[in-house]
Amino acid sequence: MPDAPKTLPATSPPMTDRYAVIGHPISHSKSPQIHTAFAQATGQDIAYTAIEAPLDGFAATVRAFREQGGRGVNVTLPFKLQACEFATDPSEAARLAGAANALRFDGERVFAENFDGVGLVNDVQRNLGHALKGRRVLLLGAGGATRGALLPIAQQGPAVLAVANRTADKAHALRGDFAAHASIQSGGYAELAGESFDVIINATSSGLVGESLPLPAGLFAPGALAYDMVYGRGLTPFLRQAREAGVTALADGVGMLVEQAAEAFAWWRGVRPDTREVIARLSVPLV
Ligand code: ATR
């Protein structure tokens, strides 16, 4: 009779799955902190790092990360458009936005999603308690940030969905691009005169250069929410304008940031993390 084996067959320890955020610059990114907190809270064994890709080296950086065993990446400025092009399987949200902020690698395939819009919608509805259904919703700006938000907002069934932009033609072009999916009003800021909205979202980069927008008086309906997509900057020029117009429900984009991260985490890991504690930790006072 052969001797019974003296040792159990060697089992390899479970591999830590690798994820990263890719951008340029990247040092400011809160994504490693957010995803590490999610992983700890949900008991998921992942490592999440930040990678600065050269401006002309997005695809090469993603390929190298994948070859080293990367399972997925978040993508931030200025690579969101390239991320969508890089994917073999972009979602409808990513295709309509023309941009992706999350990739998942599966064999030879690269799935792409854009979670910015759903992150915004979740923050506005669940965290801030402003339902969008049947409400009058206005997006300021007609760039990539608005493009990513339109479909998820439209899916909530607002009574009115309007886009106003400094360059009115860009707002009209968005209306055309989304015509099959949503009924959108478009125009310049002057055309907003006499209108009022329940939820007004600043998706322009005007605040980043310290500028306010030429918004007509009476734009904020009683009880309106003023939401600025930028985060960590306190009271932005847009939020100050809103407060001076009597708005008390003011929010910056920290909740959108954390909610889009939660969507990506759930997409990768199959577990949805709680967001409240992380949002609270990253929030800065709006003063
Ligand atoms: P993002 O991807 O962040 O949306 P983008 O595509 O460059 O960036 O779009 C920037 C948006 O901010 C645009 O709507 C832009 O208006 P124009 O289309 O007229 O350029 C808007 N924007 C930037 N600076 C602005 C300012 N000082 N005043 C008003 N709108 C501004």
mmCIF file of all heavy atoms in Angstrom, residues 205-253:
data_model
loop_
_atom_site.group_PDB
_atom_site.id
_atom_site.type_symbol
_atom_site.label_atom_id
_atom_site.label_comp_id
_atom_site.label_asym_id
_atom_site.label_seq_id
_atom_site.Cartn_x
_atom_site.Cartn_y
_atom_site.Cartn_z
ATOM 1 N N SER A 205 -17.492 74.296 -16.704
ATOM 2 C CA SER A 205 -16.238 74.437 -15.959
ATOM 3 C C SER A 205 -16.003 75.899 -15.578
ATOM 4 O O SER A 205 -14.900 76.262 -15.205
ATOM 5 C CB SER A 205 -15.082 73.880 -16.792
ATOM 6 O OG SER A 205 -15.188 74.299 -18.134
ATOM 7 N N SER A 206 -17.061 76.719 -15.658
ATOM 8 C CA SER A 206 -16.904 78.163 -15.394
ATOM 9 C C SER A 206 -16.364 78.433 -13.992
ATOM 10 O O SER A 206 -15.521 79.305 -13.804
ATOM 11 C CB SER A 206 -18.240 78.878 -15.581
ATOM 12 O OG SER A 206 -19.199 78.340 -14.684
ATOM 13 N N GLY A 207 -16.858 77.688 -12.999
ATOM 14 C CA GLY A 207 -16.454 77.927 -11.613
ATOM 15 C C GLY A 207 -14.968 77.672 -11.395
ATOM 16 O O GLY A 207 -14.350 78.261 -10.509
ATOM 17 N N LEU A 208 -14.403 76.796 -12.219
ATOM 18 C CA LEU A 208 -12.984 76.464 -12.057
ATOM 19 C C LEU A 208 -12.114 77.678 -12.362
ATOM 20 O O LEU A 208 -10.991 77.776 -11.884
ATOM 21 C CB LEU A 208 -12.600 75.288 -12.970
ATOM 22 C CG LEU A 208 -13.348 73.981 -12.698
ATOM 23 C CD1 LEU A 208 -12.953 72.906 -13.695
ATOM 24 C CD2 LEU A 208 -13.079 73.496 -11.275
ATOM 25 N N VAL A 209 -12.645 78.604 -13.168
ATOM 26 C CA VAL A 209 -11.892 79.838 -13.437
ATOM 27 C C VAL A 209 -12.498 81.003 -12.658
ATOM 28 O O VAL A 209 -12.236 82.166 -12.952
ATOM 29 C CB VAL A 209 -11.828 80.150 -14.952
ATOM 30 C CG1 VAL A 209 -10.927 79.152 -15.651
ATOM 31 C CG2 VAL A 209 -13.199 80.165 -15.602
ATOM 32 N N GLY A 210 -13.352 80.665 -11.686
ATOM 33 C CA GLY A 210 -13.883 81.693 -10.783
ATOM 34 C C GLY A 210 -14.988 82.553 -11.382
ATOM 35 O O GLY A 210 -15.343 83.583 -10.825
ATOM 36 N N GLU A 211 -15.541 82.112 -12.508
ATOM 37 C CA GLU A 211 -16.564 82.943 -13.157
ATOM 38 C C GLU A 211 -17.965 82.466 -12.808
ATOM 39 O O GLU A 211 -18.207 81.279 -12.664
ATOM 40 C CB GLU A 211 -16.381 82.903 -14.680
ATOM 41 C CG GLU A 211 -15.200 83.723 -15.134
ATOM 42 C CD GLU A 211 -15.045 83.719 -16.642
ATOM 43 O OE1 GLU A 211 -16.046 83.492 -17.352
ATOM 44 O OE2 GLU A 211 -13.906 83.942 -17.091
ATOM 45 N N SER A 212 -18.893 83.420 -12.730
ATOM 46 C CA SER A 212 -20.288 83.042 -12.535
ATOM 47 C C SER A 212 -21.003 83.094 -13.889
ATOM 48 O O SER A 212 -20.470 83.620 -14.869
ATOM 49 C CB SER A 212 -20.962 83.947 -11.513
ATOM 50 O OG SER A 212 -20.800 85.283 -11.881
ATOM 51 N N LEU A 213 -22.195 82.543 -13.924
ATOM 52 C CA LEU A 213 -22.938 82.437 -15.186
ATOM 53 C C LEU A 213 -24.020 83.520 -15.242
ATOM 54 O O LEU A 213 -24.568 83.895 -14.200
ATOM 55 C CB LEU A 213 -23.577 81.049 -15.285
ATOM 56 C CG LEU A 213 -22.587 79.886 -15.276
ATOM 57 C CD1 LEU A 213 -23.305 78.559 -15.051
ATOM 58 C CD2 LEU A 213 -21.807 79.854 -16.591
ATOM 59 N N PRO A 214 -24.353 83.999 -16.433
ATOM 60 C CA PRO A 214 -25.379 85.042 -16.554
ATOM 61 C C PRO A 214 -26.790 84.460 -16.444
ATOM 62 O O PRO A 214 -27.517 84.360 -17.435
ATOM 63 C CB PRO A 214 -25.107 85.629 -17.950
ATOM 64 C CG PRO A 214 -24.520 84.501 -18.722
ATOM 65 C CD PRO A 214 -23.762 83.652 -17.746
ATOM 66 N N LEU A 215 -27.164 84.091 -15.236
ATOM 67 C CA LEU A 215 -28.466 83.442 -15.032
ATOM 68 C C LEU A 215 -29.530 84.494 -14.737
ATOM 69 O O LEU A 215 -29.317 85.365 -13.894
ATOM 70 C CB LEU A 215 -28.385 82.449 -13.868
ATOM 71 C CG LEU A 215 -27.309 81.370 -13.987
ATOM 72 C CD1 LEU A 215 -27.319 80.479 -12.747
ATOM 73 C CD2 LEU A 215 -27.514 80.537 -15.249
ATOM 74 N N PRO A 216 -30.681 84.430 -15.409
ATOM 75 C CA PRO A 216 -31.732 85.420 -15.166
ATOM 76 C C PRO A 216 -32.365 85.260 -13.782
ATOM 77 O O PRO A 216 -32.359 84.168 -13.210
ATOM 78 C CB PRO A 216 -32.756 85.136 -16.268
ATOM 79 C CG PRO A 216 -32.485 83.766 -16.730
ATOM 80 C CD PRO A 216 -31.050 83.462 -16.444
ATOM 81 N N ALA A 217 -32.909 86.358 -13.271
ATOM 82 C CA ALA A 217 -33.600 86.314 -11.971
ATOM 83 C C ALA A 217 -34.801 85.374 -12.066
ATOM 84 O O ALA A 217 -35.391 85.203 -13.136
ATOM 85 C CB ALA A 217 -34.061 87.716 -11.598
ATOM 86 N N GLY A 218 -35.138 84.736 -10.963
ATOM 87 C CA GLY A 218 -36.323 83.879 -10.934
ATOM 88 C C GLY A 218 -36.105 82.495 -11.477
ATOM 89 O O GLY A 218 -37.056 81.708 -11.610
ATOM 90 N N LEU A 219 -34.856 82.156 -11.795
ATOM 91 C CA LEU A 219 -34.582 80.847 -12.414
ATOM 92 C C LEU A 219 -34.824 79.684 -11.441
ATOM 93 O O LEU A 219 -35.236 78.602 -11.851
ATOM 94 C CB LEU A 219 -33.128 80.819 -12.905
ATOM 95 C CG LEU A 219 -32.748 79.665 -13.824
ATOM 96 C CD1 LEU A 219 -33.527 79.732 -15.137
ATOM 97 C CD2 LEU A 219 -31.248 79.681 -14.121
ATOM 98 N N PHE A 220 -34.562 79.938 -10.144
ATOM 99 C CA PHE A 220 -34.711 78.871 -9.148
ATOM 100 C C PHE A 220 -36.146 78.876 -8.615
ATOM 101 O O PHE A 220 -36.590 79.859 -8.019
ATOM 102 C CB PHE A 220 -33.730 79.086 -7.990
ATOM 103 C CG PHE A 220 -32.282 78.968 -8.402
ATOM 104 C CD1 PHE A 220 -31.562 80.092 -8.798
ATOM 105 C CD2 PHE A 220 -31.642 77.735 -8.405
ATOM 106 C CE1 PHE A 220 -30.231 79.986 -9.174
ATOM 107 C CE2 PHE A 220 -30.305 77.620 -8.788
ATOM 108 C CZ PHE A 220 -29.600 78.749 -9.175
ATOM 109 N N ALA A 221 -36.853 77.785 -8.809
ATOM 110 C CA ALA A 221 -38.220 77.671 -8.280
ATOM 111 C C ALA A 221 -38.142 77.551 -6.754
ATOM 112 O O ALA A 221 -37.107 77.152 -6.220
ATOM 113 C CB ALA A 221 -38.901 76.433 -8.872
ATOM 114 N N PRO A 222 -39.229 77.869 -6.047
ATOM 115 C CA PRO A 222 -39.213 77.687 -4.597
ATOM 116 C C PRO A 222 -38.863 76.234 -4.245
ATOM 117 O O PRO A 222 -39.385 75.303 -4.856
ATOM 118 C CB PRO A 222 -40.658 78.012 -4.177
ATOM 119 C CG PRO A 222 -41.166 78.898 -5.271
ATOM 120 C CD PRO A 222 -40.494 78.433 -6.534
ATOM 121 N N GLY A 223 -37.958 76.050 -3.285
ATOM 122 C CA GLY A 223 -37.549 74.696 -2.878
ATOM 123 C C GLY A 223 -36.566 74.028 -3.823
ATOM 124 O O GLY A 223 -36.311 72.828 -3.707
ATOM 125 N N ALA A 224 -36.004 74.800 -4.766
ATOM 126 C CA ALA A 224 -35.124 74.196 -5.775
ATOM 127 C C ALA A 224 -33.827 73.681 -5.170
ATOM 128 O O ALA A 224 -33.383 74.139 -4.111
ATOM 129 C CB ALA A 224 -34.800 75.230 -6.863
ATOM 130 N N LEU A 225 -33.232 72.740 -5.905
ATOM 131 C CA LEU A 225 -31.888 72.245 -5.581
ATOM 132 C C LEU A 225 -30.902 72.859 -6.565
ATOM 133 O O LEU A 225 -31.113 72.803 -7.782
ATOM 134 C CB LEU A 225 -31.845 70.721 -5.713
ATOM 135 C CG LEU A 225 -30.436 70.085 -5.654
ATOM 136 C CD1 LEU A 225 -29.839 70.204 -4.253
ATOM 137 C CD2 LEU A 225 -30.492 68.612 -6.077
ATOM 138 N N ALA A 226 -29.823 73.447 -6.040
ATOM 139 C CA ALA A 226 -28.717 73.922 -6.884
ATOM 140 C C ALA A 226 -27.548 72.973 -6.684
ATOM 141 O O ALA A 226 -27.081 72.778 -5.555
ATOM 142 C CB ALA A 226 -28.321 75.339 -6.490
ATOM 143 N N TYR A 227 -27.090 72.368 -7.774
ATOM 144 C CA TYR A 227 -26.078 71.308 -7.699
ATOM 145 C C TYR A 227 -24.905 71.680 -8.605
ATOM 146 O O TYR A 227 -25.072 71.911 -9.802
ATOM 147 C CB TYR A 227 -26.704 69.998 -8.174
ATOM 148 C CG TYR A 227 -25.887 68.760 -7.873
ATOM 149 C CD1 TYR A 227 -26.267 67.898 -6.853
ATOM 150 C CD2 TYR A 227 -24.741 68.449 -8.608
ATOM 151 C CE1 TYR A 227 -25.531 66.759 -6.563
ATOM 152 C CE2 TYR A 227 -23.987 67.312 -8.320
ATOM 153 C CZ TYR A 227 -24.397 66.476 -7.303
ATOM 154 O OH TYR A 227 -23.670 65.343 -7.005
ATOM 155 N N ASP A 228 -23.727 71.746 -8.040
ATOM 156 C CA ASP A 228 -22.533 72.015 -8.851
ATOM 157 C C ASP A 228 -21.734 70.725 -8.946
ATOM 158 O O ASP A 228 -21.403 70.112 -7.922
ATOM 159 C CB ASP A 228 -21.681 73.129 -8.198
ATOM 160 C CG ASP A 228 -20.767 73.805 -9.221
ATOM 161 O OD1 ASP A 228 -20.247 73.088 -10.103
ATOM 162 O OD2 ASP A 228 -20.593 75.029 -9.137
ATOM 163 N N MET A 229 -21.404 70.314 -10.168
ATOM 164 C CA MET A 229 -20.704 69.025 -10.330
ATOM 165 C C MET A 229 -19.280 69.043 -9.794
ATOM 166 O O MET A 229 -18.706 67.982 -9.556
ATOM 167 C CB MET A 229 -20.679 68.615 -11.798
ATOM 168 C CG MET A 229 -21.992 68.066 -12.304
ATOM 169 S SD MET A 229 -21.660 67.265 -13.890
ATOM 170 C CE MET A 229 -23.322 66.934 -14.444
ATOM 171 N N VAL A 230 -18.684 70.219 -9.645
ATOM 172 C CA VAL A 230 -17.321 70.232 -9.096
ATOM 173 C C VAL A 230 -17.391 69.917 -7.612
ATOM 174 O O VAL A 230 -18.455 70.049 -6.991
ATOM 175 C CB VAL A 230 -16.589 71.576 -9.343
ATOM 176 C CG1 VAL A 230 -16.569 71.921 -10.809
ATOM 177 C CG2 VAL A 230 -17.184 72.679 -8.507
ATOM 178 N N TYR A 231 -16.290 69.487 -7.025
ATOM 179 C CA TYR A 231 -16.322 69.131 -5.604
ATOM 180 C C TYR A 231 -15.070 69.625 -4.907
ATOM 181 O O TYR A 231 -14.041 69.902 -5.538
ATOM 182 C CB TYR A 231 -16.476 67.615 -5.429
ATOM 183 C CG TYR A 231 -15.331 66.813 -5.995
ATOM 184 C CD1 TYR A 231 -14.189 66.558 -5.248
ATOM 185 C CD2 TYR A 231 -15.389 66.339 -7.304
ATOM 186 C CE1 TYR A 231 -13.135 65.835 -5.782
ATOM 187 C CE2 TYR A 231 -14.344 65.627 -7.838
ATOM 188 C CZ TYR A 231 -13.216 65.372 -7.072
ATOM 189 O OH TYR A 231 -12.179 64.673 -7.613
ATOM 190 N N GLY A 232 -15.211 69.762 -3.607
ATOM 191 C CA GLY A 232 -14.053 70.095 -2.784
ATOM 192 C C GLY A 232 -13.634 71.541 -2.857
ATOM 193 O O GLY A 232 -12.547 71.902 -2.410
ATOM 194 N N ARG A 233 -14.484 72.395 -3.410
ATOM 195 C CA ARG A 233 -14.111 73.808 -3.565
ATOM 196 C C ARG A 233 -14.987 74.733 -2.739
ATOM 197 O O ARG A 233 -14.976 75.938 -2.960
ATOM 198 C CB ARG A 233 -14.191 74.203 -5.038
ATOM 199 C CG ARG A 233 -13.088 73.563 -5.839
ATOM 200 C CD ARG A 233 -13.256 73.825 -7.313
ATOM 201 N NE ARG A 233 -12.058 73.390 -8.016
ATOM 202 C CZ ARG A 233 -11.091 74.202 -8.425
ATOM 203 N NH1 ARG A 233 -11.171 75.493 -8.210
ATOM 204 N NH2 ARG A 233 -10.034 73.718 -9.052
ATOM 205 N N GLY A 234 -15.764 74.177 -1.843
ATOM 206 C CA GLY A 234 -16.621 75.027 -1.012
ATOM 207 C C GLY A 234 -17.723 75.666 -1.847
ATOM 208 O O GLY A 234 -18.258 75.047 -2.775
ATOM 209 N N LEU A 235 -18.056 76.908 -1.504
ATOM 210 C CA LEU A 235 -19.135 77.605 -2.203
ATOM 211 C C LEU A 235 -18.610 78.135 -3.543
ATOM 212 O O LEU A 235 -17.899 79.129 -3.588
ATOM 213 C CB LEU A 235 -19.640 78.756 -1.324
ATOM 214 C CG LEU A 235 -21.054 79.225 -1.588
ATOM 215 C CD1 LEU A 235 -22.084 78.165 -1.266
ATOM 216 C CD2 LEU A 235 -21.329 80.492 -0.774
ATOM 217 N N THR A 236 -18.951 77.488 -4.620
ATOM 218 C CA THR A 236 -18.485 77.902 -5.950
ATOM 219 C C THR A 236 -19.270 79.141 -6.383
ATOM 220 O O THR A 236 -20.310 79.467 -5.797
ATOM 221 C CB THR A 236 -18.742 76.778 -6.972
ATOM 222 O OG1 THR A 236 -20.168 76.555 -7.011
ATOM 223 C CG2 THR A 236 -18.037 75.485 -6.585
ATOM 224 N N PRO A 237 -18.813 79.845 -7.426
ATOM 225 C CA PRO A 237 -19.584 81.011 -7.896
ATOM 226 C C PRO A 237 -21.048 80.661 -8.198
ATOM 227 O O PRO A 237 -21.949 81.429 -7.868
ATOM 228 C CB PRO A 237 -18.835 81.435 -9.168
ATOM 229 C CG PRO A 237 -17.422 81.004 -8.910
ATOM 230 C CD PRO A 237 -17.528 79.711 -8.136
ATOM 231 N N PHE A 238 -21.303 79.496 -8.784
ATOM 232 C CA PHE A 238 -22.683 79.091 -9.085
ATOM 233 C C PHE A 238 -23.485 78.885 -7.803
ATOM 234 O O PHE A 238 -24.627 79.351 -7.679
ATOM 235 C CB PHE A 238 -22.686 77.807 -9.926
ATOM 236 C CG PHE A 238 -24.044 77.156 -10.022
ATOM 237 C CD1 PHE A 238 -25.063 77.734 -10.769
ATOM 238 C CD2 PHE A 238 -24.303 75.963 -9.342
ATOM 239 C CE1 PHE A 238 -26.325 77.147 -10.841
ATOM 240 C CE2 PHE A 238 -25.558 75.369 -9.414
ATOM 241 C CZ PHE A 238 -26.562 75.962 -10.158
ATOM 242 N N LEU A 239 -22.907 78.206 -6.825
ATOM 243 C CA LEU A 239 -23.639 77.962 -5.572
ATOM 244 C C LEU A 239 -23.864 79.275 -4.821
ATOM 245 O O LEU A 239 -24.906 79.462 -4.176
ATOM 246 C CB LEU A 239 -22.886 76.944 -4.705
ATOM 247 C CG LEU A 239 -22.826 75.519 -5.274
ATOM 248 C CD1 LEU A 239 -21.991 74.610 -4.366
ATOM 249 C CD2 LEU A 239 -24.235 74.933 -5.458
ATOM 250 N N ARG A 240 -22.912 80.190 -4.941
ATOM 251 C CA ARG A 240 -23.093 81.502 -4.300
ATOM 252 C C ARG A 240 -24.272 82.230 -4.964
ATOM 253 O O ARG A 240 -25.118 82.806 -4.290
ATOM 254 C CB ARG A 240 -21.808 82.313 -4.401
ATOM 255 C CG ARG A 240 -21.928 83.693 -3.760
ATOM 256 C CD ARG A 240 -20.594 84.371 -3.558
ATOM 257 N NE ARG A 240 -19.779 83.661 -2.590
ATOM 258 C CZ ARG A 240 -18.595 83.111 -2.847
ATOM 259 N NH1 ARG A 240 -18.094 83.178 -4.056
ATOM 260 N NH2 ARG A 240 -17.921 82.494 -1.908
ATOM 261 N N GLN A 241 -24.304 82.178 -6.305
ATOM 262 C CA GLN A 241 -25.427 82.800 -7.029
ATOM 263 C C GLN A 241 -26.752 82.237 -6.536
ATOM 264 O O GLN A 241 -27.712 82.967 -6.318
ATOM 265 C CB GLN A 241 -25.325 82.490 -8.546
ATOM 266 C CG GLN A 241 -24.508 83.454 -9.361
ATOM 267 C CD GLN A 241 -24.376 82.942 -10.800
ATOM 268 O OE1 GLN A 241 -23.775 81.895 -11.051
ATOM 269 N NE2 GLN A 241 -24.932 83.674 -11.746
ATOM 270 N N ALA A 242 -26.782 80.914 -6.400
ATOM 271 C CA ALA A 242 -28.018 80.259 -5.971
ATOM 272 C C ALA A 242 -28.391 80.704 -4.565
ATOM 273 O O ALA A 242 -29.551 81.025 -4.283
ATOM 274 C CB ALA A 242 -27.841 78.733 -6.028
ATOM 275 N N ARG A 243 -27.414 80.732 -3.673
ATOM 276 C CA ARG A 243 -27.704 81.120 -2.293
ATOM 277 C C ARG A 243 -28.216 82.558 -2.247
ATOM 278 O O ARG A 243 -29.161 82.870 -1.524
ATOM 279 C CB ARG A 243 -26.447 80.978 -1.434
ATOM 280 C CG ARG A 243 -26.766 81.025 0.049
ATOM 281 C CD ARG A 243 -25.540 80.821 0.887
ATOM 282 N NE ARG A 243 -24.611 81.936 0.737
ATOM 283 C CZ ARG A 243 -23.493 82.070 1.427
ATOM 284 N NH1 ARG A 243 -23.155 81.156 2.311
ATOM 285 N NH2 ARG A 243 -22.701 83.094 1.249
ATOM 286 N N GLU A 244 -27.603 83.413 -3.060
ATOM 287 C CA GLU A 244 -28.055 84.813 -3.082
ATOM 288 C C GLU A 244 -29.474 84.932 -3.650
ATOM 289 O O GLU A 244 -30.183 85.892 -3.360
ATOM 290 C CB GLU A 244 -27.061 85.680 -3.866
ATOM 291 C CG GLU A 244 -25.831 85.990 -3.020
ATOM 292 C CD GLU A 244 -24.629 86.491 -3.821
ATOM 293 O OE1 GLU A 244 -24.788 86.741 -5.035
ATOM 294 O OE2 GLU A 244 -23.540 86.610 -3.219
ATOM 295 N N ALA A 245 -29.867 83.937 -4.453
ATOM 296 C CA ALA A 245 -31.240 83.927 -4.991
ATOM 297 C C ALA A 245 -32.209 83.273 -4.001
ATOM 298 O O ALA A 245 -33.377 83.053 -4.327
ATOM 299 C CB ALA A 245 -31.268 83.190 -6.328
ATOM 300 N N GLY A 246 -31.721 82.911 -2.807
ATOM 301 C CA GLY A 246 -32.597 82.365 -1.774
ATOM 302 C C GLY A 246 -32.648 80.852 -1.715
ATOM 303 O O GLY A 246 -33.434 80.282 -0.942
ATOM 304 N N VAL A 247 -31.832 80.172 -2.511
ATOM 305 C CA VAL A 247 -31.855 78.698 -2.504
ATOM 306 C C VAL A 247 -31.160 78.187 -1.239
ATOM 307 O O VAL A 247 -30.074 78.656 -0.892
ATOM 308 C CB VAL A 247 -31.129 78.144 -3.759
ATOM 309 C CG1 VAL A 247 -31.091 76.622 -3.730
ATOM 310 C CG2 VAL A 247 -31.808 78.640 -5.027
ATOM 311 N N THR A 248 -31.788 77.230 -0.573
ATOM 312 C CA THR A 248 -31.174 76.658 0.635
ATOM 313 C C THR A 248 -30.638 75.245 0.391
ATOM 314 O O THR A 248 -29.810 74.766 1.153
ATOM 315 C CB THR A 248 -32.176 76.617 1.809
ATOM 316 O OG1 THR A 248 -33.345 75.929 1.373
ATOM 317 C CG2 THR A 248 -32.540 78.029 2.269
ATOM 318 N N ALA A 249 -31.136 74.578 -0.637
ATOM 319 C CA ALA A 249 -30.634 73.235 -0.953
ATOM 320 C C ALA A 249 -29.466 73.380 -1.935
ATOM 321 O O ALA A 249 -29.667 73.576 -3.137
ATOM 322 C CB ALA A 249 -31.744 72.377 -1.547
ATOM 323 N N LEU A 250 -28.256 73.310 -1.390
ATOM 324 C CA LEU A 250 -27.048 73.490 -2.197
ATOM 325 C C LEU A 250 -26.207 72.229 -2.076
ATOM 326 O O LEU A 250 -26.066 71.673 -0.987
ATOM 327 C CB LEU A 250 -26.212 74.667 -1.675
ATOM 328 C CG LEU A 250 -26.902 76.028 -1.523
ATOM 329 C CD1 LEU A 250 -25.973 77.016 -0.820
ATOM 330 C CD2 LEU A 250 -27.306 76.577 -2.885
ATOM 331 N N ALA A 251 -25.625 71.780 -3.195
ATOM 332 C CA ALA A 251 -24.762 70.590 -3.130
ATOM 333 C C ALA A 251 -23.641 70.713 -4.139
ATOM 334 O O ALA A 251 -23.838 71.251 -5.236
ATOM 335 C CB ALA A 251 -25.581 69.331 -3.420
ATOM 336 N N ASP A 252 -22.472 70.214 -3.764
ATOM 337 C CA ASP A 252 -21.412 70.089 -4.764
ATOM 338 C C ASP A 252 -21.347 68.632 -5.238
ATOM 339 O O ASP A 252 -22.190 67.815 -4.858
ATOM 340 C CB ASP A 252 -20.067 70.628 -4.238
ATOM 341 C CG ASP A 252 -19.410 69.705 -3.218
ATOM 342 O OD1 ASP A 252 -19.973 68.638 -2.904
ATOM 343 O OD2 ASP A 252 -18.324 70.073 -2.725
ATOM 344 N N GLY A 253 -20.343 68.309 -6.063
ATOM 345 C CA GLY A 253 -20.348 67.012 -6.739
ATOM 346 C C GLY A 253 -19.681 65.879 -5.989
ATOM 347 O O GLY A 253 -19.415 64.822 -6.582
#
